[in-house]
Amino acid sequence: MYKLLASLLTFPILLLPMETSAAGTRFVSIGTGGVTGVYYPVGGSIAKLLNKKRGVYGLKVTAEATGGSVFNINALGKGDMDLGLAQSDKVTQAWEGSADWTERGPRKELRGICTLQSETVCLIAAVHSGITACSDLRGKIVAVGNPGSGTRDNSLDALATCGLTFRDLGKAEGIKAAEAAGLLQDGRLDAYFYTVGHPNGSIKEAASGRTKVRFVPFTNLGELLKRNPFYSKAVIPIQFYEGAENREDVPTFGVKACLVTTDKVSDEIVYAVTKELFENLDTFRKLHPALEDLDKEAMLTGVPVPIHPGALKYFKEAGLTDHLSKQ
Ligand code: GLU
């Protein structure tokens, strides 16, 4: 009887449209990445800023753990998510309909809000594996990024700088970065790739266990950068990873994390997100150390897709549109 009553009471709620609850609160989801990455806490920080103003905007924002950039872009396209974090290379390819989107076609619904932290392509190897350069990966057991991650294609591109593909590896594992650190420590992986901002939990975990680890540099970048203009030279800041064997910043290549949405998401929601993010930038920067160096100008530079009208409305009001023209 109680069960019946309970189901009768909950049933009307299930009939309401997903975005709106009985109290008029709109639910907004942000697709992030694995829980030990930077996207997840960054998405959580954006949610926190907005949820503080629930009384003003009526938004309840949640950060969802996901497989990463490619998953988020596809979830946005299906309307399963409202906002997402994704690497600038992946956003560019989705917009153009290349790489992961060659068969699915261009994702012209994508709209940009801003760029966020820099991310670098990291290869973390167990010292005992003897891997000191890209070409040493031949025959090794390497985690190359889970399906849905941005990391996966970056590993392929990184391997190409020394003429290797996944087939040249002993095994190319598709496991998540969150699991890779532990498996490297347990001796079940020789190395793993992770495209991520710094500092982040997974690499800290990998660098502070009994198995000694090192970052492997990527320096033969001429051809890669020429063919893929969305990549740029970058370094892994070693000061965050005292346990790693390297003593200096490690040369590699990188991208930027972007906050993206679609043309289906309302101007009101995107305006609120943009305004809260930009007007509370000092607070936001303190919520995660990878955000510490953000500034407004850099955040408006290099957004690979058209800016959403809701974001543009805020940038106009705040007199920030000059920075946008530098895209
Ligand atoms: N860049 C990674 C990816 O899209 C995610 C990094 C993170 O979670 O911070 O696969």
Side-chain angles (χ1 to χ4, degrees):
M1 174 62 194
Y2 283 122
K3 261 193 190 157
L4 180 67
L5 201 64
S7 61
L8 282 175
L9 286 172
T10 50
F11 188 59
I13 296 170
L14 297 176
L15 287 180
L16 288 169
M18 263 183 56
E19 227 194 28
T20 319
S21 80
T25 301
R26 282 176 296 174
F27 292 97
V28 175
S29 55
I30 310 180
T32 66
V35 287
T36 56
V38 175
Y39 284 10
Y40 186 65
V42 165
S45 302
I46 297 171
K48 203 167 168 179
L49 291 181
L50 270 297
N51 291 337
K52 260 205 242 168
K53 296 280 181 72
R54 192 158 164 189
V56 179
Y57 302 114
L59 301 180
K60 171 90 183 80
V61 184
T62 33
E64 317 274 354
T66 74
S69 296
V70 175
F71 179 94
N72 295 342
I73 290 170
N74 293 333
L76 283 172
K78 284 187 246 161
D80 291 345
M81 274 169 188
D82 307 295
L83 303 168
L85 291 163
Q87 294 174 201
S88 47
D89 53 330
K90 294 287 123 199
V91 178
T92 307
Q93 291 168 336
W95 177 261
E96 287 172 350
S98 60
D100 287 289
W101 294 274
T102 312
E103 273 163 36
R104 273 175 280 209
R107 305 266 42 121
K108 294 295 182 196
E109 71 279 2
L110 282 173
R111 293 293 178 271
I113 298 178
C114 61
T115 61
L116 295 168
Q117 75 276 13
S118 299
E119 299 186 86
T120 62
V121 176
C122 304
L123 174 61
I124 305 107
V127 168
H128 66 71
S129 70
I131 302 166
T132 58
C134 171
S135 53
D136 298 327
L137 290 169
R138 192 183 287 281
K140 301 290 186 189
I141 303 173
V142 185
V144 294
N146 57 286
S149 70
T151 302
R152 203 172 168 86
D153 278 347
N154 299 148
S155 324
L156 206 52
D157 286 341
L159 286 168
T161 66
C162 63
L164 300 184
T165 70
F166 288 166
R167 281 192 305 276
D168 298 308
L169 304 175
K171 213 165 177 202
E173 297 279 13
I175 52 167
K176 294 179 189 162
E179 287 155 39
L183 292 176
L184 188 75
Q185 277 299 323
D186 291 349
R188 288 193 280 161
L189 275 182
D190 292 312
Y192 76 99
F193 279 99
Y194 198 12
T195 304
V196 72
H198 302 283
N200 81 91
S202 158
I203 301 181
K204 278 196 172 179
E205 186 191 330
S208 50
R210 289 236 312 270
T211 302
K212 290 291 153 225
V213 305
R214 67 164 70 99
F215 291 101
V216 180
F218 288 93
T219 48
N220 181 27
L221 300 177
E223 203 38 46
L224 176 90
L225 300 181
K226 206 160 70 193
R227 269 188 297 114
N228 305 290
F230 41 70
Y231 287 141
S232 54
K233 283 189 184 174
V235 292
I236 300 162
I238 205 65
Q239 88 250 24
F240 295 124
Y241 308 106
E242 277 175 10
E245 193 198 55
N246 315 65
R247 294 276 66 95
E248 282 167 16
D249 289 352
V250 184
T252 180
F253 58 103
V255 292
K256 261 188 175 189
C258 303
L259 179 61
V260 287
T261 181
T262 71
D263 58 2
K264 312 287 180 311
V265 177
S266 74
D267 290 5
E268 292 77 28
I269 290 178
V270 179
Y271 175 83
V273 171
T274 314
K275 186 177 162 88
E276 289 312 308
L277 194 56
F278 278 74
E279 300 212 331
N280 297 293
L281 196 54
D282 284 342
T283 312
F284 184 60
R285 275 197 291 245
K286 287 186 198 120
L287 293 175
H288 193 283
L291 302 170
E292 225 168 73
D293 297 332
L294 287 186
D295 69 69
K296 291 181 183 173
E297 186 169 347
M299 288 166 76
L300 290 179
T301 314
V303 182
V305 289
I307 300 288
H308 189 285
L312 205 55
K313 180 176 171 223
Y314 173 72
F315 297 143
K316 279 186 187 149
E317 267 175 30
L320 291 169
T321 42
D322 278 1
H323 301 322
L324 277 178
S325 53
K326 289 190 196 148
Q327 274 188 80

